[in-house]
């Protein structure tokens, strides 16, 4: 899969963004959204072309106006030369490269638009590799609010050891509040970890990635035979969107994909890298406190995560692209795959259309108000990726005279949706104008709230 990157940048790195200061006083200054490195690690080549510094949780600029914005959906002027990189080819070329070489390539290519996702476990190796490249680097982590005290202490130790500030991402307080108030603190033991992970991990991660063009993970093939056995060293992210928005706008680097756990530990010991004290208590894979437990010698590390659930599906949503769907089941719509997934686009501002409801809507020659409808399947990663922006769209349009709705179009509804609703792939977004029977299909892969809003405003 090809991925377009700009080959030049209008903004070079400013000296202040890449501070070389390493005094302890400097490290006390809050720097969320920026990073700094100690002198000994920062080898900054100011002649290199880089993009402007953006916080890891940068949101694209939003336009709150509901007035028609036809101009905003016209093709943007192309002022920079665009290079197209074939990351499948690059993954093949780098398949035998060392983690250090892969890390170096990743940091060289993406500069300040890439960050290491650090979980607080042995993926500290990524930070060590980044340090060894001599290039500046950024690190972010998801603070779910449910981590072990040992992990928090380890974060602090890592910050001090490397002279960095970790850019923490936190869950949305209102969402956590709603989940805990309605279902309690341990709902994941009863109805699965997906919902809690979505609120505490996946959505904060999505926000973080929207400020980046690439991210670096510690995924390894040997970590999960069911889900990670084919992880490439670099790939266009199959699930999440980057700064530019749309499918394919983010690159995911997995520098230790081909390294096994023993070699990671040999490396950590050889380099005298600090490690999470939970490892000495038998923890291998480390996540949230209620969902992680030590494993016995000979047990696979993933057996210590969500042990009450199916062993083959142990992904929290951060690497959902690793989960293989039964594609024939999706295509045939036999419903087997769909049953296991929690519904998405859950908002009071959204109308849930039944089959009869969407048939009525499609039949009308003129409607009281225009509708925008997403045809979706809850298991589809691209639908999950646009959930936040579509819900935000519904909230922005509430009371505006445009109805926002969803229609679950997999399973037995799929044939109808293919024949009558222009369903090509999930998600398909349709606009039903006021005075015309025929719905208009949204043709772009940019599914951020501004792009969807521009589509609505151009047609309403
Ligand atoms: Fe919630 Fe457990 Fe997922 Fe952490 S790992 S976000 S506590 S379900």
């Amino acid at each position: 899969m090809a991925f377009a990157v700009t080959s030049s940048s209008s903004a070079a790195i400013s000296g202040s963004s890449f501070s070389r200061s390493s005094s302890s006083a400097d490290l006390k200054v809050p720097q969320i959204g920026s990073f700094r490195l100690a002198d000994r690690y920062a080898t900054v080549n100011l002649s290199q072309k880089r993009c402007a510094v953006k916080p890891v949780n940068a949101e694209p600029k939003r336009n709150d106006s509901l007035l028609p914005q036809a101009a905003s959906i016209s093709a943007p002027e192309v002022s920079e030369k665009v290079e197209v990189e074939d990351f499948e080819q690059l993954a093949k070329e780098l398949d035998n490269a060392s983690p250090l070489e892969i890390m170096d390539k990743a940091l060289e290519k993406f500069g300040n638009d890439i960050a290491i996702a650090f979980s607080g476990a042995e993926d500290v190796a990524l930070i060590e590799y980044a340090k060894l490249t001599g290039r500046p680097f950024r690190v972010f982590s998801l603070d779910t609010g449910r981590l072990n005290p040992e992990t928090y202490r380890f974060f602090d130790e890592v910050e001090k050891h490397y002279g960095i500030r970790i850019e923490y991402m936190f869950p949305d307080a209102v969402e956590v509040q709603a989940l805990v108030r309605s279902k309690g603190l341990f709902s994941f033991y009863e109805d699965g970890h997906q919902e809690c992970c979505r609120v505490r991990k996946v959505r904060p991660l999505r926000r973080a990635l929207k400020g980046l063009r690439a991210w670096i993970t510690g995924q390894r093939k040997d970590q999960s035979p069911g889900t990670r056995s084919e992880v490439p060293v670099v790939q266009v992210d199959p699930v999440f969107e980057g700064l530019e928005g749309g499918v394919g706008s983010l690159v995911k680097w997995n520098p230790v994909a081909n390294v096994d756990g023993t070699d990671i530990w040999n490396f950590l010991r050889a380099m005298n890298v600090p490690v999470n004290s939970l490892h000495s208590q038998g923890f291998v894979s480390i996540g949230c406190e209620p969902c992680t437990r030590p494993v016995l010698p000979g047990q696979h590390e993933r057996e210590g995560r969500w042990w009450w659930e199916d062993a083959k599906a142990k992904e929290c949503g951060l690497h959902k692209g690793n989960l293989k769907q039964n594609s024939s089941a999706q295509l045939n719509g036999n419903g087997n795959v769909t049953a296991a997934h929690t519904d998405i686009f859950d908002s009071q501002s959204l109308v849930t259309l039944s089959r009869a409801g969407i048939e009525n809507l499609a039949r009308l020659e003129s409607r009281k108000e225009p509708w925008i409808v997403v045809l979706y399947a809850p298991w589809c990663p691209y639908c999950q990726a646009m959930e936040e922006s579509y819900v935000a769209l519904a909230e922005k349009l509430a009371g505006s005279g445009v109805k926002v709705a969803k229609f679950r179009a997999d399973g037995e509804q799929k044939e109808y949706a293919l024949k009558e609703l222009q369903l090509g792939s999930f998600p398909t977004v349709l606009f039903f104008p006021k005075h015309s029977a025929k719905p208009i299909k949204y043709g772009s892969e940019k599914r951020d709230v501004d792009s969807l809003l521009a589509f609505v405003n151009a047609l309403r």
Side-chain angles (χ1 to χ4, degrees):
M1 190 169 182
F3 178 81
V5 292
T6 52
S7 64
S8 65
S9 167
S10 54
I13 294 173
S14 74
S16 62
S17 304
F18 289 80
S19 169
R20 288 163 172 260
S21 167
S22 63
S23 74
S24 58
D26 281 344
L27 290 175
K28 285 179 189 138
V29 178
Q31 297 166 61
I32 302 303
S34 64
F35 78 100
R36 69 178 44 194
L37 293 170
D39 261 349
R40 61 193 188 280
Y41 305 137
T43 310
V44 182
N45 178 357
L46 291 174
S47 69
Q48 284 176 302
K49 291 178 179 177
R50 296 263 199 258
C51 293
V53 176
K54 293 167 198 75
V56 77
N57 57 346
E59 291 275 352
K61 189 169 171 284
R62 292 191 171 175
N63 190 338
D64 292 318
S65 168
L66 298 183
L67 294 172
Q69 305 167 44
S72 66
I73 60 165
S74 61
E77 272 182 39
V78 178
S79 57
E80 291 187 354
K81 193 179 156 215
V82 172
E83 234 175 59
V84 175
E85 176 100 47
D86 183 341
F87 282 94
E88 268 180 30
Q89 181 56 34
L90 186 61
K92 283 183 199 149
E93 287 165 21
L94 291 175
D95 202 42
N96 292 318
S98 70
L100 185 57
E101 285 172 279
I102 299 166
M103 178 66 77
D104 190 59
K105 181 67 80 183
L107 296 178
E108 181 200 14
K109 273 188 180 297
F110 289 94
N112 197 42
D113 290 335
I114 190 169
I116 295 168
F118 177 46
S119 73
E122 81 268 17
D123 53 353
V124 66
L126 298 174
I127 302 178
E128 181 69 14
Y129 282 122
K131 179 202 87 173
L132 292 174
T133 66
R135 296 181 187 276
F137 60 89
R138 298 168 67 183
V139 179
F140 75 96
S141 193
L142 307 175
D143 183 350
T144 63
R146 303 297 293 266
L147 304 176
N148 296 75
E150 288 87 344
T151 302
Y152 290 111
R153 280 197 283 274
F154 179 49
F155 284 150
D156 185 56
E157 200 181 344
V158 166
E159 286 193 337
K160 291 192 170 105
H161 182 82
Y162 290 100
I164 58 171
R165 282 291 187 223
I166 297 170
E167 299 176 54
Y168 296 105
M169 298 299 297
F170 297 92
D172 181 276
V174 174
E175 287 180 8
V176 173
Q177 201 168 283
L179 173 67
V180 173
R181 284 187 182 178
S182 65
K183 294 194 161 182
L185 281 164
F186 295 93
S187 58
F188 34 84
Y189 291 140
E190 279 147 38
D191 57 10
H193 70 276
Q194 303 288 354
E195 188 177 9
C196 180
C197 278
R198 190 143 55 106
V199 169
R200 292 182 186 269
K201 287 184 172 179
V202 180
R203 286 183 173 161
L205 175 68
R206 192 169 287 144
R207 265 189 284 124
L209 297 178
K210 284 291 280 179
L212 298 169
R213 289 192 168 82
W215 62 310
I216 302 170
T217 85
Q219 288 192 102
R220 301 193 319 269
K221 286 179 178 152
D222 71 340
Q223 279 173 321
S224 180
T227 61
R228 298 192 180 179
S229 58
E230 291 171 26
V231 169
V233 297
V234 59
Q235 64 192 134
V236 173
D237 195 299
V239 175
F240 293 102
E241 295 179 17
L243 193 60
E244 305 297 337
V247 176
S249 57
L250 185 74
V251 173
K252 185 174 181 180
W253 293 80
N254 310 301
V256 293
N258 297 326
V259 182
D260 69 45
T262 316
D263 289 335
I264 292 283
W265 276 98
N266 289 339
F267 173 68
L268 295 177
R269 273 190 286 268
M271 305 308 290
N272 203 19
V273 173
V275 294
N276 192 323
S277 63
L278 287 172
H279 291 302
S280 61
Q281 298 169 40
F283 288 82
V284 180
S285 178
I286 294 174
C288 293
E289 184 276 331
C291 302
T292 314
R293 65 179 183 180
V295 290
L296 295 169
Q299 268 189 307
H300 194 277
E301 64 183 81
R302 298 300 276 183
E303 289 181 60
R305 303 292 292 276
W306 307 296
W307 55 92
W308 62 96
E309 294 180 18
D310 172 19
K312 283 200 178 148
K314 292 184 178 184
E315 293 291 354
C316 53
L318 306 192
H319 305 294
K320 210 177 277 177
N322 297 338
L323 294 179
K324 286 191 181 158
Q325 299 292 347
N326 176 342
S327 55
S328 62
Q330 286 172 33
L331 292 171
N332 296 339
N334 65 17
N336 289 345
V337 167
T338 63
H341 287 81
T342 323
D343 199 18
I344 53 176
F345 302 118
D346 201 11
S347 162
Q348 290 188 338
S349 307
L350 266 157
V351 180
T352 303
L353 288 171
S354 62
R355 168 73 173 266
I358 198 157
E359 278 178 340
N360 280 341
L361 185 67
R363 221 176 278 136
L364 291 172
E365 286 295 326
S366 69
R367 306 172 181 90
K368 244 170 79 186
E369 57 230 327
W371 287 65
I372 181 166
V373 182
V374 62
L375 311 181
Y376 74 102
W379 43 262
C380 162
Y382 300 112
C383 299
Q384 291 160 5
M386 77 169 282
E387 185 184 13
E388 199 173 336
S389 55
Y390 197 68
V391 168
L393 178 78
E395 279 157 15
K396 272 178 186 276
L397 289 174
S400 72
V402 179
K403 290 274 188 201
V404 182
K406 63 175 183 174
F407 174 63
R408 183 170 171 170
D410 62 338
E412 58 195 28
Q413 307 303 337
K414 188 156 183 178
E415 205 179 320
Y416 162 73
L418 286 167
K419 270 197 199 148
E420 307 294 333
L421 297 175
Q422 309 173 51
L423 176 69
S425 57
F426 292 118
T428 291
V429 177
L430 298 176
F431 185 81
F432 291 81
K434 228 167 147 181
H435 301 297
S436 159
K438 195 170 159 43
I440 299 163
K441 188 169 170 176
Y442 182 62
S444 168
E445 292 205 331
K446 286 197 160 203
R447 299 184 186 117
D448 59 281
V449 66
D450 289 339
S451 302
L452 290 167
L453 195 56
F455 172 65
V456 170
N457 285 333
L459 297 172
R460 63 193 303 209

